[in-house]
């Protein structure tokens, strides 16, 4: 029996500078996005700040060209230093070989604060532009601190129309090549699309074999929005993480039959769905293994088994729910997609 996911497998084009295939951002004419991105978030944020630069340089040596950061992660500055060193050492010939994503934190998600926030991000990164700039969450915080966790009384509704207009202006003046969102449901995307002049190129959301986001992926595909997966391995060990992915018996059986790791099976599965994935490991051997997923495929039977796994969201994001905030329940935050 054929997997219902089979027809969504993308045609992947291999980048000339390394082995990571790319996928076009369909709402822009800018360069394609590498399917594997290197994540820089580690909680507590900034915990690996002293060693992160060297880790990123090692990642570039291994072949990573897509790096994911955010204002709240406290990793923009080490990433910028690593990029400067990589250019100086000749590991890359040009900044244009890299695809850099950063995100607007909730306390800056106000129309007049978006552009200053991106300028600060670019200063941290020592770059003239980012390739992708995302709204991190679909709500705002009172202006000021970049804290996580934050005080629940600081949560306020986002004026998505005006914030997105500011994002579009960032694109217009060339400070970001593409713009997008993160943690947006189908309903919230519909609201954004109803007034957007430039549609979001990407929606970065939690996705793994145990939380496959089929409804959201279908919606995004219809709208030309690329889905990017965070926590594709369940983020085991993180405060928001779960071990349900890495301990899944079905995935273990497939991995054993393939002679691969569970992580490799998860990443290969995501890429075969036409999804970009952000992986985060600072262990050199696992960093290398996470790139070794492009010279083999999952069978139709294996894809079918994965498609039938019981679904459970790993990170409900209770921090963003409050009786006095914009989202009074998880149902409101995720619009039933939980």
């Amino acid at each position: 029996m054929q997997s219902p996911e089979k027809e969504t497998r993308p045609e992947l084009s291999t980048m000339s500078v390394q082995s990571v295939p790319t996928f076009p951002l369909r709402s822009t004419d800018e360069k394609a996005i590498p399917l594997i991105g290197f994540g820089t978030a580690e909680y507590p944020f900034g915990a690996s700040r002293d060693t992160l630069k060297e880790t990123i340089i090692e990642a570039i040596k291994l072949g990573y060209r897509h790096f994911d950061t955010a204002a709240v992660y406290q990793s923009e500055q080490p990433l910028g230093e690593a990029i400067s060193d990589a250019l100086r050492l000749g590991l890359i010939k040009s900044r244009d070989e890299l695809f850099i994503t950063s995100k607007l934190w909730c306390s800056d998600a106000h129309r007049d604060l978006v552009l200053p926030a991106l300028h600060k991000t670019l200063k941290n990164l020592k770059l003239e532009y980012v390739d992708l700039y995302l709204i991190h969450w679909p709500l705002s915080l009172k202006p000021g601190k970049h804290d996580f966790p934050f005080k629940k009384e600081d949560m306020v509704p986002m004026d998505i129309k005006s914030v997105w207009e500011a994002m579009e202006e960032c694109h217009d003046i060339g400070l970001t090549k593409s713009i997008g969102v993160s943690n947006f449901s189908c309903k919230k995307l519909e609201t954004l699309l109803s007034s957007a002049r430039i549609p979001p190129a990407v929606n970065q959301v939690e996705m793994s074999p145990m939380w496959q986001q089929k409804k959201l992926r279908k919606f995004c595909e219809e709208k030309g929005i690329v889905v990017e997966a965070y926590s594709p391995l369940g983020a085991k060990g993180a405060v928001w993480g779960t071990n349900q992915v890495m301990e899944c018996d079905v995935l273990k059986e497939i991995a054993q039959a393939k002679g691969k790791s569970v992580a490799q099976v998860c990443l290969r599965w995501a890429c075969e769905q036409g999804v970009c994935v952000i992986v985060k490991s600072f262990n050199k051997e696992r960093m290398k293994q996470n790139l070794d997923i492009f010279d083999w495929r999952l069978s139709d039977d294996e894809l079918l088994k994965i498609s039938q796994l019981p679904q459970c969201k790993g990170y409900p994001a209770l921090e963003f729910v409050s009786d006095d905030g914009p989202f009074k329940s998880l149902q409101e935050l995720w619009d039933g997609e939980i």
Side-chain angles (χ1 to χ4, degrees):
M1 180 181 291
Q2 285 194 334
S3 162
E5 307 293 334
K6 184 182 178 184
E7 63 184 21
T8 66
R9 298 189 196 182
E11 291 298 322
L12 309 181
S13 60
T14 302
M15 294 175 68
S16 59
V17 293
Q18 84 286 330
S19 60
V20 179
T22 64
F23 199 63
L25 291 177
R26 288 165 283 184
S27 64
T28 74
D29 296 324
E30 303 301 339
K31 66 187 181 189
I33 185 170
L35 262 69
I36 296 287
F38 189 85
T40 62
E42 184 172 48
Y43 196 78
F45 295 136
S48 297
R49 186 181 179 89
D50 292 342
T51 58
L52 185 55
K53 182 183 80 167
E54 295 305 320
T55 302
I56 293 170
I57 290 173
E58 187 59 41
I60 292 173
K61 289 179 181 178
L62 289 172
Y64 288 91
R65 293 295 182 268
H66 175 188
F67 292 89
D68 182 88
T69 183
V72 77
Y73 296 166
Q74 300 179 37
S75 60
E76 289 177 336
Q77 193 168 344
L79 175 56
E81 292 169 357
I83 293 170
S84 296
D85 282 4
L87 286 164
R88 180 176 54 80
L89 294 169
L91 300 177
I92 52 174
K93 294 179 181 178
S94 165
R95 175 265 180 267
D96 293 341
E97 292 181 23
L98 302 179
F99 191 101
I100 306 299
T101 299
S102 193
K103 308 179 195 75
L104 176 78
W105 184 236
C106 305
S107 55
D108 290 321
H110 305 271
R111 201 207 189 294
D112 60 337
L113 297 182
V114 175
L115 184 58
L118 180 50
H119 275 301
K120 185 175 181 180
T121 281
L122 292 173
K123 182 179 179 181
N124 288 338
L125 291 167
K126 302 179 183 179
L127 297 178
E128 295 181 355
Y129 70 91
V130 291
D131 296 281
L132 178 63
Y133 196 47
L134 305 177
I135 295 176
H136 208 149
W137 285 90
L139 87 165
S140 299
L141 294 170
K142 293 176 183 177
K145 298 179 180 178
H146 287 66
D147 288 344
F148 186 86
F150 44 79
K151 295 178 180 179
K152 294 212 170 188
E153 58 264 33
D154 287 344
M155 290 190 290
V156 294
M158 177 187 289
D159 182 350
I160 185 59
K161 186 175 185 296
S162 69
V163 171
W164 191 252
E165 286 173 353
M167 295 285 286
E168 290 172 328
E169 289 174 11
C170 292
H171 174 270
D172 291 342
I173 61 179
L175 298 183
T176 179
K177 299 296 185 181
S178 298
I179 51 177
V181 295
S182 183
N183 300 298
F184 271 53
S185 65
C186 294
K187 183 178 178 180
K188 290 178 176 60
L189 284 170
E190 282 182 329
T191 300
L192 172 56
L193 288 167
S194 69
S195 62
R197 175 170 54 88
I198 302 172
V202 167
N203 186 19
Q204 186 182 113
V205 294
E206 178 190 352
M207 181 182 153
S208 74
M210 306 302 290
W211 188 243
Q212 297 181 18
Q213 297 273 25
K214 291 179 182 179
K215 176 186 175 183
L216 182 64
R217 283 194 283 131
K218 185 174 186 297
F219 178 88
C220 288
E221 184 175 14
E222 291 170 351
K223 301 298 183 182
I225 300 169
V226 171
V227 173
E228 190 172 44
Y230 69 75
S231 300
L233 311 180
K236 182 179 179 181
V239 291
W240 59 82
T242 171
N243 65 358
Q244 64 182 1
V245 177
M246 299 301 286
E247 298 301 324
C248 173
D249 289 337
V250 171
L251 296 174
K252 285 181 176 180
E253 289 170 7
I254 293 172
Q256 186 173 10
K258 287 285 191 203
K260 303 293 182 181
S261 68
V262 171
Q264 288 172 315
V265 168
C266 292
L267 298 177
R268 178 67 207 186
W269 169 82
C271 288
E272 289 195 22
Q273 312 313 305
V275 170
C276 299
V277 288
I278 302 300
V279 293
K280 198 237 76 178
S281 176
F282 297 165
N283 175 281
K284 182 177 177 180
E285 189 56 36
R286 287 195 293 271
M287 287 161 59
K288 191 174 181 180
Q289 288 177 2
N290 288 342
L291 289 178
D292 187 20
I293 63 168
F294 298 114
D295 60 354
W296 54 278
R297 295 173 76 95
L298 293 165
S299 70
D300 291 343
D301 183 57
E302 290 163 341
L303 288 169
L304 179 61
K305 288 179 180 178
I306 293 173
S307 75
Q308 295 172 338
L309 288 172
Q311 297 295 287
C312 180
K313 186 170 178 60
Y315 178 45
L318 283 166
E319 299 93 335
F320 295 88
V321 173
S322 170
D323 289 341
D324 300 317
F327 304 118
K328 294 173 175 56
S329 69
L330 289 175
Q331 291 296 319
E332 288 185 10
L333 175 61
W334 301 111
D335 297 306
E337 296 171 21
I338 189 164

